[in-house]
Amino acid sequence: MSDYIYTLLGWLLFAAHTSLVVGVTLRVIMKRRPVGVSLAWLALIYAIPILGVATYILFGEVRLGRKRAERAKAMYRPHADWINVLVARFPGQQFVVSDPARPIYELVKARLNMPMLSGNGMTLLQQPGEILAALQADIRAARSSCYLEYYIWYPGGRADAIAFELMDAVRRGVDCRLLLDSVGSADFFRSHWPRRLREAGVKVVEVLPVGAFRLLFERQDLRMHRKLVVIDDDVAYTGSMNLVDPACFKQNAGVGQWVDIMLRIRGPIVPIFWSLFVWDWEMETGERLLEQLEYHPISCLDNQLKLQLLPSGPFMGGDAIQQSLLTSIYQARRRLVLITPYFVPDDPLVAALCSAADRGVEVQLVLPARNDSRMVNYACNAFFDELLSAGVEIHLYGAGLLHTKCVLVDHQFALVGTVNLDKRSLWLNFEMTLLIDDGQAMGELLQLADSYLSDAEPVSWLEWRQRPLRKRIAENLFYLLSPLL
């Protein structure tokens, strides 16, 4: 009798296992994602069925929770109407978008309802001390509001001075709010700072919190990766630098200090930044701040710097950020510079870069020589052969972990912001990018790129092909997993 029971249990477990694998397989197929992504998931599921199925259930689909989905649906129309009314208030917005930037502008306007606005001022900040000092001074001068949103706030050093400035601002009656990613800012939330800031009156929100119970309802690796500051209705910041002091941050990672930039912006585009912050605030808390700003465009600057904000994320515009990136590459005619700390491209991006090099464009890819993620580093290196053989220049920056993220196209326009050139940034995380359509600003950004190139070593295709076999095996292994990274 016992043998019969064991046999029956065995068949029941086999049937349950088979049904689970077949069911998940059908779900992967019906999602109609890029073929490489689907095949990578199927390979994982059939190679290690139990672990593969569990991994897919946890990380295979975009699940941000029912409440966020309902809020996003309810929020879209009020926010879109607010932006349309806002733009109508700005005088003197008759300008011509440059021909190279126009396809991106039209795409973003159609997908995301984000306008391009002229009359802005922009300061490129390249040193951590300079960035933190400017931010501290602007918070100290704030009259009505200080809104900050970061992936990482790491306590210590000059980052603590920002916390003290926020507490001082609250005492002056300034509305101070913080949106910080739960994973990226885990050290911050384990410190004494959240309690101190909240007791002082700063509103601190942990974005996309993680936990074992939440695994059942929300995908835990979808992160808020934006770097966004809006002070009053006058000044905005974005770029690649988190709220950290590089002299204190990840000192044991063996990659040197992180190298970043931030853009300090004034002018008509600032309330668009503000609207993105209040969108994220409402998405996370349910509190609507949209009607609190009555912006009067009296401080528009007397210049023609044209800017357009490109927010991205699971609820925003589908593949708009990826299509904008591909369009930028195909628009290049003379020189294309791509600077990113993490490079794990998909097939369309690799094809676009090779195509640009084939038609005579000088394509320069600038990456850090040392990366804080070994897995990503191997996956990145797996693409070098194809790119180098097509004529793409790859330069490895050695003066720290180059964390700047920008794409520079000829002397025409640029994409600068928080987006890495990997699938996580292009498809999963909440990110932001700024389209800069201005030759004068491009000159400064190209000087920045040239300074990075002067501290970088070019990769020789012949020498690269002589690397050890063990590295090739590791690279090709992680290449197979690159659609899932």
Side-chain angles (χ1 to χ4, degrees), residues 391-402:
V392 174
E393 299 177 20
I394 300 176
H395 300 261
L396 300 182
Y397 180 86
L401 197 158
L402 182 59

Side-chain angles (χ1 to χ4, degrees), residues 20-88:
L20 186 61
V21 171
V22 170
V24 173
T25 298
L26 290 173
R27 190 165 183 88
V28 171
I29 293 171
M30 295 305 293
K31 283 294 179 180
R32 288 182 59 82
R33 285 172 293 199
V35 173
V37 176
S38 297
L39 289 177
W41 276 117
L42 291 174
L44 184 64
I45 290 166
Y46 282 91
I48 41 176
I50 300 299
L51 180 59
V53 167
T55 303
Y56 182 81
I57 291 173
L58 294 177
F59 304 112
E61 298 179 10
V62 176
R63 294 177 294 119
L64 280 167
R66 180 179 55 83
K67 286 185 178 179
R68 288 191 184 89
E70 292 175 348
R71 285 173 187 158
K73 185 176 180 180
M75 288 161 52
Y76 177 78
R77 181 45 53 195
H79 278 257
D81 291 343
W82 185 89
I83 288 176
N84 292 338
V85 171
L86 175 78
V87 172

Side-chain angles (χ1 to χ4, degrees), residues 176-202:
C176 295
R177 299 173 187 258
L178 281 176
L179 285 171
L180 301 174
D181 184 80
S182 177
V183 173
S185 299
D187 289 308
F188 174 86
F189 286 111
R190 285 194 292 264
S191 73
H192 66 279
W193 280 113
R195 176 184 56 80
R196 288 190 64 180
L197 288 166
R198 286 168 177 147
E199 288 176 351
V202 179

